[in-house]
Short mmCIF file of all heavy atoms in Angstrom, two decimals:
data_model
loop_
_atom_site.label_atom_id
_atom_site.label_comp_id
_atom_site.label_asym_id
_atom_site.label_seq_id
_atom_site.Cartn_x
_atom_site.Cartn_y
_atom_site.Cartn_z
N HIS K 24 -10.62 2.60 8.33
CA HIS K 24 -10.91 3.17 7.01
C HIS K 24 -11.83 4.39 7.14
O HIS K 24 -11.89 5.22 6.24
CB HIS K 24 -11.60 2.14 6.12
CG HIS K 24 -10.65 1.15 5.51
ND1 HIS K 24 -9.93 0.27 6.26
CD2 HIS K 24 -10.29 0.95 4.22
CE1 HIS K 24 -9.18 -0.46 5.45
NE2 HIS K 24 -9.37 -0.06 4.22
N MET K 52 -9.15 9.23 4.99
CA MET K 52 -8.15 9.98 4.24
C MET K 52 -8.18 11.44 4.71
O MET K 52 -9.12 11.86 5.37
CB MET K 52 -8.45 9.93 2.75
CG MET K 52 -8.64 8.52 2.21
SD MET K 52 -7.17 7.50 2.39
CE MET K 52 -6.07 8.30 1.23
N ASP K 54 -8.96 14.00 3.19
CA ASP K 54 -10.16 14.72 2.73
C ASP K 54 -11.45 14.12 3.30
O ASP K 54 -12.54 14.49 2.89
CB ASP K 54 -10.21 14.73 1.19
CG ASP K 54 -10.25 13.31 0.59
OD1 ASP K 54 -10.33 12.33 1.38
OD2 ASP K 54 -10.21 13.19 -0.64
N GLU K 56 -12.48 11.06 2.99
CA GLU K 56 -12.96 9.88 2.26
C GLU K 56 -12.60 8.61 3.02
O GLU K 56 -11.70 8.60 3.88
CB GLU K 56 -12.28 9.83 0.88
CG GLU K 56 -12.78 10.86 -0.11
CD GLU K 56 -14.17 10.51 -0.66
OE1 GLU K 56 -14.36 9.36 -1.08
OE2 GLU K 56 -15.03 11.40 -0.66
N ILE K 57 -13.28 7.52 2.68
CA ILE K 57 -12.97 6.21 3.25
C ILE K 57 -11.63 5.73 2.71
O ILE K 57 -11.36 5.83 1.51
CB ILE K 57 -14.08 5.20 2.86
CG1 ILE K 57 -15.42 5.57 3.49
CG2 ILE K 57 -13.66 3.76 3.20
CD1 ILE K 57 -15.55 5.28 4.96
N GLY K 58 -10.79 5.23 3.60
CA GLY K 58 -9.49 4.71 3.17
C GLY K 58 -8.52 4.81 4.33
O GLY K 58 -8.88 5.25 5.43
N THR K 59 -7.28 4.37 4.10
CA THR K 59 -6.26 4.53 5.13
C THR K 59 -5.05 5.23 4.52
O THR K 59 -4.77 5.09 3.34
CB THR K 59 -5.83 3.19 5.76
OG1 THR K 59 -5.41 2.29 4.73
CG2 THR K 59 -6.96 2.56 6.55
N ASP K 60 -4.35 5.99 5.35
CA ASP K 60 -3.26 6.85 4.89
C ASP K 60 -2.04 6.60 5.80
O ASP K 60 -2.04 6.99 6.97
CB ASP K 60 -3.75 8.31 4.99
CG ASP K 60 -2.66 9.34 4.70
OD1 ASP K 60 -1.46 8.99 4.67
OD2 ASP K 60 -3.02 10.52 4.54
N ALA K 61 -1.05 5.91 5.24
CA ALA K 61 0.12 5.52 6.05
C ALA K 61 0.87 6.73 6.59
O ALA K 61 1.43 6.67 7.69
CB ALA K 61 1.06 4.64 5.21
N VAL K 62 0.87 7.82 5.85
CA VAL K 62 1.60 9.00 6.31
C VAL K 62 0.87 9.62 7.51
O VAL K 62 1.50 9.98 8.52
CB VAL K 62 1.76 10.03 5.15
CG1 VAL K 62 2.49 11.27 5.65
CG2 VAL K 62 2.52 9.39 3.98
N SER K 85 -6.43 -3.31 4.23
CA SER K 85 -5.35 -2.37 4.00
C SER K 85 -5.08 -1.51 5.23
O SER K 85 -4.06 -0.81 5.28
CB SER K 85 -5.64 -1.49 2.79
OG SER K 85 -6.80 -0.73 3.00
N MET K 88 -2.02 -3.08 6.38
CA MET K 88 -0.89 -2.76 5.49
C MET K 88 -0.43 -1.32 5.67
O MET K 88 0.76 -1.03 5.67
CB MET K 88 -1.27 -3.00 4.03
CG MET K 88 -1.19 -4.46 3.63
SD MET K 88 -1.13 -4.65 1.85
CE MET K 88 -2.83 -4.43 1.42
N SER K 89 -1.38 -0.41 5.81
CA SER K 89 -1.00 1.00 5.99
C SER K 89 -0.32 1.21 7.34
O SER K 89 0.63 2.00 7.46
CB SER K 89 -2.22 1.92 5.85
OG SER K 89 -2.57 2.06 4.50
N GLU K 91 1.47 -1.02 8.95
CA GLU K 91 2.82 -1.57 8.86
C GLU K 91 3.73 -0.64 8.05
O GLU K 91 4.91 -0.47 8.38
CB GLU K 91 2.78 -2.97 8.22
CG GLU K 91 2.19 -4.01 9.18
CD GLU K 91 1.97 -5.38 8.54
OE1 GLU K 91 1.89 -5.47 7.29
OE2 GLU K 91 1.86 -6.35 9.29
N THR K 92 3.17 -0.03 7.02
CA THR K 92 3.95 0.93 6.22
C THR K 92 4.33 2.12 7.10
O THR K 92 5.47 2.60 7.07
CB THR K 92 3.14 1.41 5.01
OG1 THR K 92 2.65 0.29 4.30
CG2 THR K 92 3.99 2.26 4.07
N GLU K 95 7.22 1.43 9.26
CA GLU K 95 8.50 1.48 8.53
C GLU K 95 8.94 2.91 8.26
O GLU K 95 10.13 3.22 8.27
CB GLU K 95 8.38 0.73 7.20
CG GLU K 95 8.57 -0.76 7.38
CD GLU K 95 8.40 -1.52 6.09
OE1 GLU K 95 8.69 -0.96 5.01
OE2 GLU K 95 7.96 -2.67 6.16
N LEU K 96 7.98 3.79 8.02
CA LEU K 96 8.33 5.20 7.79
C LEU K 96 9.01 5.80 9.01
O LEU K 96 9.74 6.78 8.91
CB LEU K 96 7.07 6.03 7.45
CG LEU K 96 6.38 5.73 6.12
CD1 LEU K 96 5.10 6.56 6.00
CD2 LEU K 96 7.29 6.02 4.93
N ARG M 59 -6.88 9.04 -8.65
CA ARG M 59 -6.76 10.11 -7.64
C ARG M 59 -5.31 10.20 -7.15
O ARG M 59 -4.75 11.28 -7.00
CB ARG M 59 -7.70 9.80 -6.47
CG ARG M 59 -7.68 10.85 -5.38
CD ARG M 59 -8.74 10.61 -4.34
NE ARG M 59 -8.51 9.34 -3.66
CZ ARG M 59 -9.45 8.63 -3.02
NH1 ARG M 59 -10.70 9.06 -2.99
NH2 ARG M 59 -9.15 7.49 -2.43
N MET M 84 5.38 8.21 -1.44
CA MET M 84 4.77 8.88 -0.28
C MET M 84 3.40 9.44 -0.65
O MET M 84 2.45 9.38 0.14
CB MET M 84 5.66 10.02 0.21
CG MET M 84 6.95 9.58 0.89
SD MET M 84 6.70 8.74 2.46
CE MET M 84 6.38 10.13 3.55
N LEU M 87 0.83 6.69 -0.90
CA LEU M 87 0.46 6.21 0.44
C LEU M 87 -0.66 7.05 1.04
O LEU M 87 -1.52 6.53 1.73
CB LEU M 87 1.66 6.28 1.40
CG LEU M 87 2.79 5.28 1.25
CD1 LEU M 87 3.82 5.52 2.35
CD2 LEU M 87 2.28 3.86 1.31
N SER M 88 -0.60 8.36 0.78
CA SER M 88 -1.56 9.23 1.47
C SER M 88 -2.73 9.67 0.60
O SER M 88 -3.56 10.45 1.05
CB SER M 88 -0.85 10.45 2.06
OG SER M 88 -0.17 11.14 1.07
N THR M 89 -2.83 9.16 -0.63
CA THR M 89 -3.96 9.60 -1.47
C THR M 89 -4.77 8.47 -2.09
O THR M 89 -5.90 8.69 -2.50
CB THR M 89 -3.48 10.50 -2.63
OG1 THR M 89 -2.46 9.81 -3.36
CG2 THR M 89 -2.96 11.83 -2.12
N VAL M 90 -4.22 7.26 -2.19
CA VAL M 90 -4.94 6.19 -2.89
C VAL M 90 -6.06 5.62 -2.02
O VAL M 90 -7.19 5.44 -2.48
CB VAL M 90 -3.97 5.07 -3.35
CG1 VAL M 90 -4.75 3.86 -3.85
CG2 VAL M 90 -3.05 5.60 -4.45
N GLY M 91 -5.77 5.33 -0.75
CA GLY M 91 -6.83 4.93 0.17
C GLY M 91 -7.03 3.43 0.30
O GLY M 91 -7.07 2.92 1.40
N GLY M 92 -7.16 2.71 -0.79
CA GLY M 92 -7.37 1.26 -0.72
C GLY M 92 -6.05 0.53 -0.56
O GLY M 92 -5.00 1.13 -0.31
N ALA M 93 -6.11 -0.80 -0.73
CA ALA M 93 -4.93 -1.63 -0.54
C ALA M 93 -3.81 -1.26 -1.51
O ALA M 93 -2.63 -1.42 -1.22
CB ALA M 93 -5.28 -3.10 -0.72
N PRO M 96 -0.79 1.34 0.06
CA PRO M 96 0.45 0.82 0.65
C PRO M 96 1.23 -0.10 -0.28
O PRO M 96 2.46 -0.15 -0.19
CB PRO M 96 -0.02 0.08 1.90
CG PRO M 96 -1.50 0.00 1.82
CD PRO M 96 -1.97 1.08 0.91
N LEU M 97 0.56 -0.80 -1.18
CA LEU M 97 1.28 -1.73 -2.08
C LEU M 97 2.08 -0.96 -3.13
O LEU M 97 3.30 -1.12 -3.24
CB LEU M 97 0.29 -2.70 -2.75
CG LEU M 97 -0.33 -3.72 -1.79
CD1 LEU M 97 -1.48 -4.46 -2.45
CD2 LEU M 97 0.71 -4.72 -1.29
N THR M 100 4.71 1.36 -1.40
CA THR M 100 5.92 0.64 -0.99
C THR M 100 6.77 0.31 -2.21
O THR M 100 8.00 0.44 -2.19
CB THR M 100 5.53 -0.65 -0.24
OG1 THR M 100 4.77 -0.30 0.91
CG2 THR M 100 6.77 -1.44 0.20
N MET M 103 8.65 3.34 -3.34
CA MET M 103 9.66 3.76 -2.37
C MET M 103 10.84 2.80 -2.34
O MET M 103 11.99 3.22 -2.15
CB MET M 103 9.03 3.93 -0.99
CG MET M 103 8.14 5.18 -0.99
SD MET M 103 7.17 5.37 0.49
CE MET M 103 8.46 5.79 1.63
N LYS M 133 6.47 -8.34 0.48
CA LYS M 133 6.58 -8.16 1.93
C LYS M 133 5.32 -7.48 2.48
O LYS M 133 4.73 -7.93 3.46
CB LYS M 133 7.82 -7.31 2.24
CG LYS M 133 8.00 -6.95 3.69
CD LYS M 133 9.09 -5.90 3.88
CE LYS M 133 8.70 -4.59 3.22
NZ LYS M 133 9.63 -3.48 3.50
N ARG M 134 4.92 -6.40 1.81
CA ARG M 134 3.77 -5.64 2.30
C ARG M 134 2.49 -6.46 2.25
O ARG M 134 1.68 -6.44 3.19
CB ARG M 134 3.60 -4.36 1.46
CG ARG M 134 2.48 -3.46 1.87
CD ARG M 134 2.70 -2.81 3.22
NE ARG M 134 3.89 -1.99 3.22
CZ ARG M 134 4.87 -2.12 4.13
NH1 ARG M 134 4.76 -2.98 5.12
NH2 ARG M 134 5.94 -1.36 4.07
N GLY M 135 2.27 -7.18 1.16
CA GLY M 135 1.03 -7.93 1.00
C GLY M 135 1.11 -9.33 1.55
O GLY M 135 0.12 -10.05 1.54
N LYS M 136 2.29 -9.74 2.04
CA LYS M 136 2.53 -11.11 2.50
C LYS M 136 1.96 -12.08 1.47
O LYS M 136 1.21 -13.00 1.78
CB LYS M 136 1.89 -11.34 3.87
CG LYS M 136 2.46 -10.40 4.94
CD LYS M 136 1.83 -10.67 6.32
CE LYS M 136 2.36 -9.73 7.38
NZ LYS M 136 1.85 -8.35 7.25
#
Side-chain angles (χ1 to χ4, degrees):
Chain K
H24 280 65
M52 308 298 291
D54 60 5
E56 287 286 311
I57 294 285
T59 55
D60 173 346
V62 179
S85 61
M88 280 198 281
S89 284
E91 288 173 339
T92 308
E95 278 178 30
L96 293 175
Chain M
R59 181 173 63 203
M84 289 292 282
L87 287 183
S88 57
T89 54
V90 170
L97 290 169
T100 301
M103 289 172 71
K133 175 191 65 173
R134 182 67 60 232
K136 300 181 181 73

